[in-house]
């Protein structure tokens, strides 16, 4: 039985690098893979970009109202026509930006189409609140794997701090892709609370 895998971690934990390595491993052994990411992730346009500088174009992007099953079926047929082989795996980057319905479609691809799905993403936003896609993946994925990274202090990082113009902020929209003004830093719980003044999920210490 094919499975849905969710591999998650804080920012800079090597998720995109791990995805690209997994794709390479499949292809090195003569298998065909499909790569996808949500269209809301504008970094690299249609590419998955590792912070190590490795990049690869995706086979398709997923719009907020996109039909994942239909897109997968379309590109599966294309791969079969071009190579004479079936798709061995679907790899999805930035899976936290998917809707709950789209995550359910990933599960259907694994269970009903017999194709393993490897989804990579972060678990929570800069306010420590789960993204809808990540929450659903935590609920239905067959396998959960944490990709670890360290905080500036050396402890394991579990949260994502948002900075605008170099200053940490703890309110605002859930989604703000890396840009000139917006950056993120992986933080352990202690450093996060020190920067936020004890605020968690918008709630101060009482």
């Amino acid at each position: 039985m094919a499975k849905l895998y969710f591999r998650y971690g804080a920012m800079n934990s090597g998720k995109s690098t791990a995805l690209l390595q997994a794709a390479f491993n499949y292809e090195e052994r003569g298998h065909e893979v499909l790569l996808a990411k949500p269209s809301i992730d504008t970094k690299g346009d249609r590419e998955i970009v590792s912070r190590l500088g490795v990049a690869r174009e995706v086979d398709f992007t997923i719009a907020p109202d996109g039909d994942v099953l239909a897109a997968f079926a379309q590109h599966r047929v294309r791969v079969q026509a071009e190579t004479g082989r079936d798709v061995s795996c679907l790899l999805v980057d930035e899976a936290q930006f998917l809707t709950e319905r789209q995550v359910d479609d990933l599960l259907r691809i694994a269970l009903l189409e017999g194709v393993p799905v490897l989804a990579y993403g972060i678990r929570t936003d800069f306010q420590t609140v789960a993204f809808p896609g990540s929450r659903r993946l935590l609920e239905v994925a067959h396998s959960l794997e944490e990709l670890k990274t360290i905080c500036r202090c050396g402890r394991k990082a579990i949260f994502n701090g948002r900075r605008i113009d170099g200053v940490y902020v703890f309110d605002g929209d859930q989604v703000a892709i890396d840009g000139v003004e917006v950056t993120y830093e992986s933080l352990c719980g202690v450093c996060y609370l020190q920067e936020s003044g004890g605020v968690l999920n918008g709630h101060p210490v009482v």
Side-chain angles (χ1 to χ4, degrees):
M1 180 186 72
K3 296 181 180 180
L4 171 59
Y5 299 81
F6 183 34
R7 297 174 176 172
Y8 65 91
M11 300 290 291
N12 304 318
S13 59
K15 297 179 296 299
S16 296
T17 301
L19 183 154
L20 294 173
Q21 181 66 54
F24 176 83
N25 290 344
Y26 268 98
E27 292 172 335
E28 187 180 38
R29 291 159 177 79
H31 294 276
E32 301 296 328
V33 299
L34 288 174
L35 276 64
K37 73 172 187 175
S39 59
I40 193 173
D41 175 34
T42 56
K43 299 192 304 295
D45 193 17
R46 287 183 56 85
E47 289 185 326
I48 293 174
V49 181
S50 162
R51 292 184 184 272
L52 294 181
V54 181
R56 173 169 169 171
E57 186 172 353
V58 298
D59 294 283
F60 61 94
T61 59
I62 304 167
D65 59 350
D67 187 328
V68 176
L69 281 175
F72 170 77
Q74 175 187 346
H75 288 276
R76 186 183 196 181
V77 169
R78 173 183 60 78
V79 168
Q80 291 170 335
E82 292 175 354
T83 69
R85 296 188 295 268
D86 198 4
V87 171
S88 293
C89 185
L90 171 63
L91 300 106
V92 183
D93 199 26
E94 304 291 357
Q96 71 271 8
F97 295 138
L98 298 176
T99 66
E100 294 184 356
R101 179 180 63 81
Q102 289 168 339
V103 170
D104 288 346
D105 281 347
L106 296 183
L107 182 64
R108 293 184 179 100
I109 289 170
L111 295 180
L112 302 181
E113 302 300 325
V115 176
V117 179
L118 278 59
Y120 294 77
I122 59 178
R123 185 178 52 174
T124 59
D125 65 15
F126 72 109
Q127 293 181 310
T128 71
V129 177
F131 287 92
S134 298
R135 182 170 56 245
R136 189 59 179 152
L137 280 161
L138 290 167
E139 291 169 344
V140 301
H142 296 90
S143 174
L144 303 173
E145 179 184 348
E146 183 180 15
L147 303 178
K148 299 177 178 63
T149 190
I150 62 171
C151 177
R152 63 196 181 198
C153 69
R155 300 184 185 94
K156 187 178 92 168
I158 57 173
F159 296 133
N160 305 292
R162 176 185 288 177
R163 292 184 295 187
I164 297 181
D165 291 329
V167 178
Y168 283 98
V169 297
F170 297 92
D171 57 14
D173 293 337
Q174 185 173 57
V175 178
I177 305 298
D178 286 354
V180 175
E181 298 180 349
V182 179
T183 58
Y184 293 89
E185 182 181 358
S186 305
L187 299 170
C188 71
V190 173
C191 288
Y192 182 93
L193 288 174
Q194 288 175 345
E195 293 292 348
S196 72
V199 173
L200 279 173
N201 190 16
H203 301 303
V205 176
V206 293

